[in-house]
Amino acid sequence: MVLATRDGHVLHQFPYTEQLLYRSPEGRASVAPDWRPAPAPQAGGELVPPIQAAVNFSFTPIELDHPDPFGVTVVLMEEDGYSVRLTEAFAR
């Protein structure tokens, strides 16, 4: 989880491993998280590039009445070389 402001971000990590609960005869697995101790929050913690880009673009000014703010974010991220696809919920 990342708490971000214009001035920076804090990374909160919640590590876990997957515990196998059941595997069906077809090969589908049911798993549950096995939570590990969480490290202390990290101010300015390193983010993977797509998440860092999303945080950066979250603070790129756009007109509030823009009809497609998600589309603008996609264009900005694609201009930086990311491949982005919105789900149907955001494509409306």
Side-chain angles (χ1 to χ4, degrees), residues 25-37:
E26 297 83 25
R28 291 192 200 142
S30 293
V31 297
D34 182 13
W35 296 102
R36 302 295 181 199

Side-chain angles (χ1 to χ4, degrees), residues 39-90:
Q42 301 169 11
E46 184 177 346
L47 305 175
V48 294
I51 301 302
Q52 183 66 62
V55 167
N56 294 345
F57 291 131
S58 293
F59 298 100
T60 300
I62 61 171
E63 292 186 29
L64 294 176
D65 62 349
H66 193 283
D68 188 11
F70 291 112
V72 171
T73 302
V74 168
V75 169
L76 291 171
M77 291 183 77
E78 286 177 340
E79 286 177 354
D80 272 8
Y82 293 100
S83 176
V84 180
R85 191 182 97 201
L86 296 177
T87 64
E88 288 182 28
F90 291 119

